[in-house]
Amino acid sequence: MEARCYIEEDLLPLSGIQHFAYCERQWGLIHIENQWEENVLTAQGRLLHKRTDDPLLKETRGSLATTRAVPVVSYTLGLYGVADVIEIEKSDKKGSELNIVEYKRGKHKPDDRDEVQLCAQAICLEEMMGISLSEGFLYYGETRHRQRVAFDEVLRSRVRTLAHRMHELHARGETPRALKSGKCRNCSLIGICLPGLGNANSKVNSYINHLLDELKEESEVIP
Ligand code: SF4
């Protein structure tokens, strides 16, 4: 894909890429139509983030310095947001090593939305600081597990593709259509999205089209 460079006015919230990776329509409802419904899952996630989002929470323990809620931006992705935690480990042998950590409620998910969001934040940091990050970490609140994520080319390419499509849809103001799937069960927007109506709507449309065709045929045979 051709490398792009967005300007300030084009920037979209980075947090949206996790919604987009999960369901394009969910992202469209939140970021194009400004719809949001909180459920238990999103409320728990908000509480977990509250702790990491306090910009005053900086601490140093021995050789490890931790900074929370760091603003990040990438003009090649056209995204801006906040990285939960940046850790800088100082060592006499290796110099300074920077780690990026994203806090999530629950446990590891069967899809890649968390990895995608973390990698997008890493690309932001790379651009801002002129560094290269080979890996980062996801911390899951429910399992208290810290998972390593490799920023390989497959993941980076997926992030670029998702960000590019987000910009295309946002520029057209287009919210993707609902595709009902197992994901809808845990979706906080199911009451707004009404994914079950997708097929019902198309059935109604085809019935109306059928009636119109019949009326047209009848009007053509009337002398
Ligand atoms: S209910 Fe399903 S189709 Fe609708 S936004 Fe949520 S996940 Fe996407």
Side-chain angles (χ1 to χ4, degrees):
M1 190 191 303
E2 194 185 317
R4 288 167 176 265
C5 196
Y6 293 92
I7 57 172
E8 206 79 36
E9 293 80 61
D10 294 333
L11 298 178
L12 296 175
L14 186 151
S15 59
I17 203 166
Q18 60 179 318
H19 303 130
F20 199 79
Y22 185 67
C23 169
E24 293 190 3
R25 179 167 171 79
Q26 188 192 70
W27 168 82
L29 290 170
I30 297 168
H31 295 273
I32 294 179
E33 301 188 15
N34 298 317
Q35 306 270 11
W36 179 257
E37 270 203 355
E38 186 160 76
N39 64 12
V40 177
L41 303 184
T42 58
Q44 285 177 351
R46 191 169 45 74
L47 287 174
L48 185 63
H49 270 268
K50 211 172 164 189
R51 237 186 68 75
T52 59
D53 279 354
D54 184 345
L56 298 175
L57 281 176
K58 288 184 183 178
E59 59 180 302
T60 305
R61 278 191 205 168
S63 59
L64 183 70
T66 305
T67 309
R68 301 172 203 274
V70 180
V72 292
V73 64
S74 162
Y75 290 94
T76 60
L77 296 177
L79 301 177
Y80 73 94
V82 175
D84 279 346
V85 171
I86 307 285
E87 296 173 345
I88 298 175
E89 174 95 62
K90 287 182 187 155
S91 117
D92 292 340
K93 285 184 188 155
K94 292 193 276 180
S96 291
E97 202 169 90
L98 188 148
N99 281 329
I100 179 167
V101 188
E102 170 73 10
Y103 281 66
K104 294 290 179 193
R105 64 157 302 280
K107 49 195 174 194
H108 182 250
K109 302 176 183 73
D111 53 69
D112 67 355
R113 75 193 110 145
D114 294 343
E115 285 84 353
V116 157
Q117 187 188 11
L118 180 68
C119 184
Q121 292 171 352
I123 292 172
C124 290
L125 276 180
E126 288 179 334
E127 271 181 46
M128 290 164 61
M129 302 173 77
I131 57 173
S132 176
L133 295 170
S134 59
E135 64 179 25
F137 297 90
L138 291 166
Y139 178 84
Y140 289 99
E142 188 181 316
T143 54
R144 294 171 183 257
H145 175 65
R146 185 164 159 139
Q147 184 197 321
R148 179 181 164 275
V149 177
F151 300 139
D152 57 23
E153 190 43 42
V154 175
L155 184 56
R156 287 171 184 271
S157 169
R158 172 139 164 88
V159 169
R160 288 194 293 269
T161 303
L162 291 173
H164 178 58
R165 183 154 165 74
M166 281 162 68
H167 278 279
E168 276 185 343
L169 290 170
H170 194 268
R172 296 203 297 263
E174 180 185 328
T175 300
R177 293 182 58 174
L179 293 173
K180 192 176 178 189
S181 72
K183 298 174 187 175
C184 302
R185 264 198 309 274
N186 288 333
C187 177
S188 57
L189 295 184
I190 191 165
I192 294 166
C193 171
L194 302 174
L197 287 185
N199 287 339
N201 279 342
S202 56
K203 277 182 198 155
V204 170
N205 285 343
S206 72
Y207 176 68
I208 290 171
N209 286 337
H210 177 69
L211 278 182
L212 287 173
D213 284 345
E214 278 189 352
L215 282 172
K216 200 170 152 206
E217 278 170 24
E218 279 172 19
S219 67
E220 281 169 1
V221 293
I222 293 170

